[in-house]
Amino acid sequence: MKGYLLVIGALLLSSCGKASPLAQLPDGKCSQSQQLLAKDHISGQIDAIADQNWQKAYSFAAKSFQETIDLERFTQIISEQYVLLITNKGYTFDSCEIENERLVQKITVVGLNDDFRMTYRLSVEDQKLGVVAAAVTDVSEDIST
């Protein structure tokens, strides 16, 4: 039993030694682990928005965002200005950069008629990602020939 506890203790200590991928955010390209965290976080929010699960979608927002925008206002903003996320037919992840200690993830959202390029800005608060802002940055029209 003593050996078993010793192994568990060693495992716990060794896992504590690994720095979080969010611990330091120097400007430049996101690391692979930072990209995965950003993808998981943004996917969680977009999927919740598509399901119109407003409470869950709101939970992916940064604490600083939640301090200025309440759930009711968040729901109104998404319903009025981001219908493309509610009706999306899928999305892909493009580049991820770190700027001013924020992750800036570009994505492409497949819409009903057009594809939209969006830029998500995520902050890190208490080693946790939070969406600070998301904006449509480009629309590419599907031209049928």
Side-chain angles (χ1 to χ4, degrees):
M1 185 68 162
K2 251 185 192 178
Y4 179 70
L5 292 175
L6 195 57
V7 170
I8 290 175
L11 286 172
L12 289 173
L13 287 175
S14 67
S15 67
C16 291
K18 291 184 181 178
S20 163
L22 302 175
Q24 293 187 16
L25 299 172
D27 284 0
K29 287 183 100 33
C30 297
S31 70
Q32 192 171 12
S33 54
Q34 290 166 335
Q35 286 178 331
L36 287 172
L37 290 171
K39 283 181 182 181
D40 286 347
H41 199 81
I42 293 168
S43 293
Q45 186 176 57
I46 292 173
D47 293 347
I49 288 170
D51 292 340
Q52 297 185 44
N53 183 339
W54 306 118
Q55 183 69 48
K56 184 175 181 182
Y58 185 71
S59 74
F60 290 93
K63 287 197 186 317
S64 58
F65 177 91
Q66 293 179 7
E67 289 169 359
T68 57
I69 306 288
D70 65 13
L71 176 60
E72 185 178 335
R73 180 74 179 121
F74 171 80
T75 304
Q76 181 183 14
I77 291 168
I78 300 298
S79 299
E80 292 175 1
Q81 298 175 24
Y82 293 90
V83 175
L84 64 120
L85 291 176
I86 298 170
T87 61
N88 84 82
K89 298 295 178 199
Y91 48 90
T92 56
F93 289 83
D94 305 319
S95 66
C96 181
E97 303 278 333
I98 298 171
E99 297 174 3
N100 300 318
E101 298 186 348
R102 289 193 173 166
L103 278 73
V104 179
Q105 176 68 62
K106 301 207 183 256
I107 69 168
T108 301
V109 179
V110 180
L112 296 173
N113 299 313
D114 300 319
D115 291 349
F116 299 86
R117 301 233 179 357
M118 293 187 69
T119 300
Y120 270 80
R121 296 190 183 281
L122 298 102
S123 66
V124 177
E125 298 170 13
D126 301 324
Q127 298 297 306
K128 185 180 173 200
L129 285 175
V131 176
V132 177
V136 175
T137 52
D138 187 31
V139 177
S140 64
E141 294 181 29
D142 295 329
I143 301 172
S144 300
T145 55

